[in-house]
Amino acid sequence: MTFSEWDFHVFQAINGLADNVSFLNPVMQFFAEYALYLFVVGIVFFWFTRSAGNRQLVVYTVISACVAVLLAKVLGQFFHHVQPFATHQGVNQLIPHEVDNSFPSDHATVSFVIAATFWLFHKRARWIWLLLAASIAFSRIWVGVHYPSDVLTGFILGTLTAVVIFIVLSKW
């Protein structure tokens, strides 16, 4: 089985849940379209708590997110991957989405870069942020707009960028 076949096979298994467990579709639609805003609320909250550590967290998060999105755009220039609903029949597309390059997933990249930065700064709530990012990534497959490789690459790119920026800025 090639990687592309594996990617589509896993996509079908997850996206097929939209038929088999359809009562969860509204939850997945929410996570796929709107849950990223919960990270924005978290960033605003941390900024306005006015502690030096929280302000530093916000600065690291914004820098990491900008770098990760830029790297994702560059990576997308080398690997073109259109959404599953545009190339396969029978996909459960639960949210509207234009056909463009889905590799890597911007939602997964941004949510994991923020979750990883929060992880590095806040030990108590770090699992909540990680679970939110994972839910966003998983939901993007469920609703039919990304392949597993799109969100897996977003996870790796976002997490590595957050760690590298944390190390570099901490030393600087």
Side-chain angles (χ1 to χ4, degrees), residues 3-17:
F3 180 77
S4 182
E5 291 170 334
W6 171 87
D7 204 23
F8 182 62
H9 179 71
V10 174
F11 167 80
Q12 283 183 306
I14 295 170
N15 183 249
L17 294 171

Side-chain angles (χ1 to χ4, degrees), residues 24 28 33 41-42 49 56 69 72 126 151-153 170:
L24 288 178
M28 292 300 163
E33 289 190 285
V41 169
T49 57
Q56 185 180 22
V69 168
R126 63 178 161 180
V151 298
L152 182 61
T153 303
S170 295

